[in-house]
């Protein structure tokens, strides 16, 4: 009985996740699929992902049907006699040309999205992100505000080997920090990213942003958050023993609230 | 000259192999060396597999229960290094040793002493690599990609691990030289290149790939060594170097390496599907051409592993599109295999079951590979469990299934006995259920945001990770069944005929089962 419940739960979730990814609210995360996210870019990346996924599903259905048909239809035990051709130039041309056309239909929207992502002009403010073993540092350029952002204390206590604290009792286990990065909504924000020691990668799934932090080099990119909220991600490049324990939290505030927050930070220093 | 040759032949016929341990240490016989490679790979399958079970045990539940994060990273690193260099590559070299001379009608490999040496380097390299786990600071914990600067934080293990990689590379290069020389010079009269079995073709191309890229890896890791111990700064920005340079070097090796692993499996599948479809391989020439195209393209796609390092737009577009192109020749292969079954006469013995498992599940890995090629989407997939799911689909039910299928296919020829068909089918179904249970859920957690190479995770990923862990233990223990089947087959059973499989075609099926110690002392004539 329990097994059936479990199956139906995941069966339904699977269908919702794959078929209805679009209808899910941004805040209501699917545990099966990529988040739609809260930026125009993340929406486009999500659409691209669903497009390729569906193309793959359709091709898979066609190809797997053909394979299964052969396996059912041409069985020796059913008296099948080998009679098929061992060569067909026409067929081979068809299954070379059609995939090329399908690939082009994927490459065009992909290239368009990529061009948009890489266009870092016209940004309104800049945040500098620096990876450390094992925490992040955020600096608001020209604002004289900067701080470290480390794993929240309750997660840190629970994640110790043999801590006997049940992670399920910790709110946002491993996805919470002491000081989140605070940004204004509806603002085109440029980020510069580097590292103080080894490679890290700043991954924020809701923004479709993942960029490597490389010591001695500065990478750049941008995002513009459409909805206020708290967004969570993690370091994505193996950076040593606590690689799994340097989460990323971004709090997006309406611009007025953001300015108030920024002023309070300056006061704090 | 001709005198010496006759004498040699005569002597071997009388005496056969030496007895005891020295037979295996001093052997220059391709069948003995093939067996050694296969046994070594089989042992390493369980060593690397045990490490993956440490990983999956830790990931069964959120929180750290069994190992500390540093040891976890060592397991992640060693599992990959052992499986890639110690298991799957030696397994296919073992198949090459056993089968290539028999398939092309040659009496042995062209360079038998080199052959002995290239095998006997392996156990020492393997032990050296494993011994780093007991050194001060533990084994390498930077992932098998060995990215600096992290890898430079390795303790005493660093030079030993690098030397082990050098040795493994030397072994591969010598093996490849031997394979190329054998194929190009020792084919029986009439065996033109375009009459060679597909397995021989795929290995010929693989061997060239190996010779082209193993030195690149050796150079890259040597630069790591000089950065660590001799004051150079190839990869250290503080000294004017660039950490990303290593990634370019590594993946210039690493992407062809992917095809080094899969092409021999393609070859084995291309032998098995025609046999059990009782038809010739569909589109043989386009299969050869597709293999060559894949090999060529593998050299110009490497930076798709690095879309997040901050490449210029033009670079990203180039590597995205060149990568997508690989789908075309790979598709040709899948369509040709399917067409081989079309209007055939199919039966489903264990080798065919594993070949069909390969056909379906490798294709799934191919689809996720195509998705990963799309650069903007890769910003989400990269370094997530989606990638882990992708490459395990192409490596486990892909490459490993190819090797298992080949083992069942040729075991009767090697041992002279049929393996236990019922147990073989059990092995297939258990493996296939568990391999999917292990790796399919990883697509979901990856898309939902779980990074790879982490020892602990947020609680929303719990259910799928638990499924994955259960699957991996099931898969691991199912492989013990194969150990039993192989040992049982070696010790006896139903006698195999020379032909073994009624639909099989090729020179290896014209010699007795078990294949005598020396075959084709007189070259057969291929019409
Ligand atoms: Cu990090």
């Amino acid at each position: 009985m329990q097994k059936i419940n479990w199956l139906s739960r995941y069966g339904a979730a699977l269908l919702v996740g794959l078929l209805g990814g679009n209808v899910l609210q941004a805040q209501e995360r699917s545990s099966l699929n990529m988040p739609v996210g809260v930026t125009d870019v993340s929406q486009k990346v999500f659409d691209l992902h669903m497009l390729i996924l569906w193309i793959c599903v359709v091709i898979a259905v066609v190809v797997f049907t053909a394979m299964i048909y052969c396996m059912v239809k041409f069985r020796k035990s059913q008296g099948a006699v080998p009679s098929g051709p061992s060569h067909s130039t026409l067929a081979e041309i068809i299954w070379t040309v059609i995939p090329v056309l399908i690939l082009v239909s994927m490459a065009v929207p992909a290239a368009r999205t990529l061009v948009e992502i890489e266009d870092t002009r016209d940004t309104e403010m800049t945040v500098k992100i620096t990876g450390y073993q094992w925490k992040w540092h955020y600096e608001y350029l020209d604002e004289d505000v900067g701080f470290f952002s480390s794993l929240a204390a309750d997660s840190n206590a629970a994640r110790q080997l043999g801590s006997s604290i049940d992670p399920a009792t910790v709110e946002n286990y491993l996805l919470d920090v002491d000081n989140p990065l605070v940004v204004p909504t509806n603002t085109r924000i440029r980020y510069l990213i580097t590292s103080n020691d080894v490679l890290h990668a700043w991954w924020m799934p809701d923004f479709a942003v993942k960029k490597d932090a490389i010591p001695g080099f500065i990478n750049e990119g941008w995002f513009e958050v459409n909805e206020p909220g708290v967004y969570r991600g993690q370091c994505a490049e193996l950076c040593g023993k606590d690689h799994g324990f340097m989460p990323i939290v971004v709090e997006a505030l309406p611009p007025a609230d953001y300015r108030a927050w920024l002023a309070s930070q300056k006061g704090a220093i | 000259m001709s005198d010496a040759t006759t004498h040699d032949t005569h002597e071997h016929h009388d005496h056969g192999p030496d007895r005891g341990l020295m037979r295996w240490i001093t052997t220059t016989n391709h069948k003995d060396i093939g067996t050694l490679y296969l046994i070594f790979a089989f042992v390493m399958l369980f060593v690397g597999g045990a490490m993956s079970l440490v990983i999956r045990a830790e990931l069964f539940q959120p929180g750290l229960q069994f190992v500390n994060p540093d040891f976890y990273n060592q397991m992640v690193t060693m599992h990959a290094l052992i499986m890639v260099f110690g298991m799957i590559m030696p397994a296919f070299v073992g198949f090459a040793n056993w089968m290539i001379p028999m398939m092309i009608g040659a009496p042995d490999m062209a360079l038998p002493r080199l052959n002995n040496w290239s095998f006997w380097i392996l156990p020492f390299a393997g032990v050296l690599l494993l011994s780093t786990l007991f050194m001060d600071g533990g084994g390498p914990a930077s992932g098998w990609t060995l990215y600096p600067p992290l890898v430079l934080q390795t303790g005493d293990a660093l030079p030993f691990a690098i030397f082990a990689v050098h040795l493994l590379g030397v072994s591969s290069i010598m093996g490849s030289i031997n394979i190329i020389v054998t194929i190009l010079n020792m084919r029986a009269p009439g065996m033109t290149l375009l009459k060679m079995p597909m397995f021989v073709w795929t290995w010929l191309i693989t061997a060239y790939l190996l010779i082209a890229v193993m030195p690149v890896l050796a150079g890259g890791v040597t630069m790591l060594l000089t950065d660590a111990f001799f004051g150079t700064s190839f990869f250290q920005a503080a000294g004017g170097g660039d950490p990303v340079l290593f990634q370019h070097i590594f993946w210039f090796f690493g992407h062809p390496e992917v095809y080094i692993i899969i092409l021999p499996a393609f070859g084995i599948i291309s032998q098995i599907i025609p046999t059990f479809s009782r038809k010739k391989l569909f589109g043989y020439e386009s299969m050869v051409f597709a293999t060559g195209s894949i090999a060529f393209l593998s050299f110009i796609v490497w930076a798709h592993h690095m879309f997040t390092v901050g490449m210029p737009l033009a670079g990203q577009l180039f590597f995205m599109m060149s990568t997508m192109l690989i789908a075309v020749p790979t598709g040709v292969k899948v369509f040709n295999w399917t067409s081989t079954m079309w209007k055939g006469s199919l039966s489903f013995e264990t080798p065919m079951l594993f070949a069909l498992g390969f056909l379906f599940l490798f294709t799934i890995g191919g689809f996720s590979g195509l998705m990963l090629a799309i650069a903007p989407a890769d910003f989400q997939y990269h370094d997530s469990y989606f990638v882990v799911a992708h490459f395990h689909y192409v490596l486990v039910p892909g490459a490993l299934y190819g090797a298992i299928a080949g083992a069942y296919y040729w075991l009767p020829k090697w041992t002279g006995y049929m393996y236990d068909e019922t147990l073989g089918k059990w092995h297939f179904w258990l493996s296939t259920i568990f391999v999917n249970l292990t790796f399919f859920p990883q697509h979901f957690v990856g898309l939902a945001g779980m990074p790879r190479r982490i020892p602990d995770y947020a609680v929303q990923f719990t259910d799928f990770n638990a499924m994955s862990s259960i699957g991996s233990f099931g898969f691991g223990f199912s492989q013990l069944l194969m150990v039993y089947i192989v040992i049982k087959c070696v010790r006896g059973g139903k006698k195999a005929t020379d032909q073994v499989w009624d639909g099989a075609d090729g020179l290896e099926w014209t010699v007795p089962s078990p294949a005598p110690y020396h075959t084709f002392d007189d070259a057969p004539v291929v019409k």
Side-chain angles (χ1 to χ4, degrees):
Chain A
M1 192 57 213
Q2 204 164 12
K3 198 173 170 190
I4 294 169
N5 277 335
W6 186 82
L7 269 178
S8 61
R9 184 173 142 212
Y10 277 104
L14 186 71
L15 282 176
V16 172
L18 292 178
L19 306 179
N22 280 308
V23 262
L24 282 176
Q25 292 295 308
Q27 297 293 334
E28 191 183 322
R29 295 193 80 115
S30 163
S31 64
L32 290 157
N33 203 355
M34 186 188 285
V36 181
V38 289
T39 66
D40 292 351
V41 166
S42 72
Q43 175 72 53
K44 281 178 184 154
V45 168
F46 177 82
D47 293 342
L48 194 57
H49 158 70
M50 292 311 287
L51 171 75
I52 331 159
L53 179 64
W54 276 116
I55 291 175
C56 287
V57 168
V58 170
I59 302 172
V61 168
V62 171
V63 173
F64 290 163
T65 305
M67 290 174 188
I68 291 167
Y69 180 84
C70 290
M71 288 160 58
V72 173
K73 188 82 181 171
F74 308 119
R75 300 175 82 97
K76 182 169 182 256
S77 59
Q78 304 292 309
V81 182
S83 61
S86 66
H87 179 74
S88 161
T89 311
L90 178 67
E92 287 171 52
I93 289 173
I94 290 173
W95 64 52
T96 308
V97 172
I98 292 181
V100 170
L101 296 178
I102 296 174
L103 289 178
V104 171
S105 74
M106 293 181 190
V108 170
R112 205 175 284 142
T113 308
L114 194 59
V115 169
E116 188 178 328
I117 292 173
E118 293 298 324
D119 181 0
T120 50
R121 289 170 300 178
D122 303 326
T123 51
E124 297 158 72
M125 59 175 275
T126 302
V127 182
K128 186 181 170 207
I129 305 170
T130 310
Y132 284 74
Q133 285 176 314
W134 290 273
K135 60 192 174 218
W136 296 97
H137 184 267
Y138 299 115
E139 186 183 344
Y140 295 73
L141 294 191
D142 306 323
E143 301 287 357
D144 216 25
V145 171
F147 51 84
F148 281 100
S149 179
S150 316
L151 181 66
D154 52 351
S155 286
N156 198 37
R159 66 105 174 172
Q160 302 299 328
L161 184 59
S163 72
S164 76
I165 302 171
D166 180 2
T169 64
V170 179
E171 207 184 346
N172 294 312
Y173 177 63
L174 297 188
L175 293 177
D176 204 8
V177 295
D178 50 3
N179 303 307
L181 173 67
V182 179
V183 296
T185 53
N186 303 105
T187 309
R188 208 171 146 96
I189 300 164
R190 182 169 76 136
Y191 62 87
L192 300 175
I193 181 164
T194 185
S195 168
N196 185 56
D197 36 54
V198 300
L199 302 172
H200 302 267
W202 199 83
W203 181 19
M204 181 49 65
D206 281 309
F207 305 170
V209 167
K210 186 182 286 131
K211 196 67 113 181
D212 288 2
I214 300 165
F217 293 80
I218 295 175
N219 271 326
E220 69 169 345
W222 67 277
F223 56 82
E224 180 172 345
V225 187
N226 295 332
E227 303 203 17
V230 178
Y231 306 105
R232 299 172 196 281
Q234 285 179 272
C235 177
E237 180 65 60
L238 179 59
C239 59
K241 74 179 170 67
D242 286 348
H243 163 56
F245 308 104
M246 48 182 291
I248 297 158
V249 179
V250 178
E251 194 178 348
L253 298 175
D257 296 356
Y258 166 74
R259 279 191 294 275
W261 173 84
L262 195 63
S264 74
Q265 289 297 304
K266 286 178 175 169
I269 299 168
Chain B
M1 182 64 208
S2 69
D3 236 34
T5 318
T6 9
H7 177 73
D8 228 29
T9 320
H10 174 76
E11 197 175 69
H12 282 306
H13 273 298
D14 276 351
H15 299 287
D18 288 344
R19 303 256 168 258
L21 189 64
M22 284 315 278
R23 165 185 174 178
W24 299 103
I25 292 176
T26 61
T27 184
T28 54
N29 178 286
H30 73 102
K31 300 186 181 78
D32 282 354
I33 294 172
T35 304
L36 288 171
Y37 266 109
L38 289 169
I39 292 172
F40 179 79
F42 209 21
V43 171
M44 283 299 167
L45 175 67
F46 290 94
V47 174
M51 292 173 180
S52 75
L53 295 188
V54 172
I55 295 169
R56 286 311 328 170
E58 184 53 66
L59 292 176
F60 182 62
Q61 294 278 297
L64 290 178
Q65 289 84 22
F66 302 109
V67 296
N68 64 47
D70 188 52
F71 187 71
Y72 179 89
N73 289 346
Q74 294 174 36
M75 287 292 103
V76 167
T77 307
M78 290 297 246
H79 163 70
L81 288 172
I82 293 287
M83 286 305 203
V84 169
F85 294 106
M87 191 277 286
I88 201 76
M89 290 170 68
F92 286 128
V93 180
F95 281 104
N97 256 293
W98 251 104
M99 301 318 301
I100 288 176
M102 293 207 318
M103 288 175 134
I104 62 173
D108 204 309
M109 296 293 280
L111 310 164
R113 287 194 175 79
L114 186 79
N115 205 10
N116 173 291
W117 193 24
S118 56
F119 171 75
W120 277 109
I121 287 177
L122 276 184
F124 294 97
V127 169
L128 184 63
L129 187 59
L130 288 171
S131 72
T132 61
L133 286 172
F134 305 100
M135 291 177 183
D136 204 18
S142 59
W144 83 290
T145 48
L146 305 173
Y147 282 0
L150 181 63
V151 73
L152 300 174
Q153 295 180 351
T154 309
D156 290 353
L158 183 64
F160 296 97
I162 288 177
F163 188 51
V165 171
H166 278 145
L167 287 177
L168 293 162
V170 168
S171 161
S172 295
I173 291 171
M174 293 196 301
S176 303
I177 291 172
N178 211 346
I179 287 167
I180 291 173
V181 176
T182 305
I183 296 173
L184 293 185
N185 292 296
M186 303 203 29
R187 299 190 310 279
M191 175 69 76
T192 58
L193 284 176
L194 280 175
K195 277 188 187 158
M196 294 195 311
M198 264 319 285
F199 178 69
V200 180
W201 256 114
T202 55
W203 245 117
L204 180 63
I205 292 171
T206 301
Y208 275 108
L209 288 180
L210 270 165
I211 290 180
V213 300
M214 289 309 293
V216 177
L217 175 69
V221 296
T222 305
M223 288 152 86
L224 285 178
L225 203 62
T226 62
D227 269 14
F229 297 103
F230 301 105
T232 57
S233 299
F234 291 111
F235 309 127
Q236 287 166 329
D242 181 355
V244 178
L245 173 64
F246 181 83
Q247 300 186 26
H248 284 288
I249 294 172
F250 183 87
W251 288 113
F252 186 82
F253 146 79
H255 202 81
E257 170 69 19
V258 173
Y259 296 98
I260 287 166
I261 291 171
I262 202 66
L263 289 183
F266 283 177
I268 291 174
I269 300 303
S270 301
Q271 302 300 127
I272 292 174
I273 290 182
T275 294
F276 295 97
S277 303
R278 293 165 182 80
K279 258 182 70 191
K280 275 175 65 180
L281 180 66
F282 188 92
Y284 169 86
E285 273 153 38
S286 71
M287 286 299 239
V288 172
F289 188 70
T291 310
S293 315
I294 292 174
F296 169 74
L297 288 171
S298 76
F299 284 102
I300 57 165
V301 298
W302 75 89
H304 66 214
H305 296 268
M306 308 162 49
F307 280 137
T308 61
V309 300
M311 258 185 291
L313 177 63
Q316 294 187 47
L317 286 171
F318 172 80
F319 285 109
M320 174 172 87
M321 293 185 187
S322 60
T323 305
M324 293 172 77
L325 266 186
I326 294 190
V328 176
T330 311
V332 166
K333 288 198 153 269
V334 172
F335 299 138
N336 280 346
W337 287 322
T338 309
S339 305
T340 304
M341 298 195 292
W342 180 260
K343 292 192 177 167
S345 174
L346 275 64
S347 59
F348 300 91
E349 289 84 350
T350 308
M352 183 61 162
L353 289 177
F354 275 99
L356 291 170
F358 172 100
L359 197 53
F360 280 84
L361 302 177
F362 174 81
T363 305
I364 291 178
F367 285 127
S368 56
L370 180 59
M371 295 172 75
L372 283 158
I374 310 290
D378 183 69
F379 295 147
Q380 293 281 39
Y381 309 141
H382 181 77
D383 269 338
S384 78
Y385 257 83
F386 189 79
V387 177
V388 177
H390 158 70
F391 67 72
H392 280 98
Y393 260 88
V394 292
L395 289 176
V396 184
L400 182 60
Y401 267 34
I404 294 174
Y408 282 114
Y409 184 55
W410 284 306
L411 256 181
K413 179 56 64 185
W414 297 337
T415 63
Y417 301 110
M418 299 306 287
Y419 59 86
D420 187 324
E421 190 62 56
T422 312
L423 288 181
K425 291 198 162 104
W426 270 99
H427 178 215
F428 169 75
W429 285 109
L430 288 172
S431 296
T432 302
I433 290 166
F434 285 125
V435 85
N436 284 293
L437 183 62
T438 308
F439 297 116
F440 210 79
Q442 296 183 357
H443 291 112
F444 299 134
V445 287
L447 291 175
M450 180 167 161
R452 64 191 283 206
R453 294 167 164 171
I454 56 174
D456 191 6
Y457 48 82
V459 290
Q460 67 263 35
F461 306 128
T462 308
D463 292 344
F464 285 129
N465 271 291
M467 285 163 73
S468 205
S469 292
I470 292 167
S472 70
F473 276 84
F475 184 80
F477 286 103
S478 302
Q479 302 321 303
L480 292 174
L481 189 55
M482 189 176 175
V483 179
Y484 176 74
I485 296 169
V486 170
I487 291 173
K488 191 172 167 210
C489 179
V490 170
R491 299 180 73 175
K494 194 171 144 254
K495 287 289 287 172
T497 61
D498 296 354
Q499 177 65 27
V500 184
W501 313 110
D502 63 293
D505 187 28
L507 290 176
E508 77 262 41
W509 309 108
T510 65
V511 303
S513 299
Y517 200 55
H518 293 283
T519 37
F520 298 124
D521 284 338
D522 301 308
V525 176
V526 181
K527 284 179 284 300

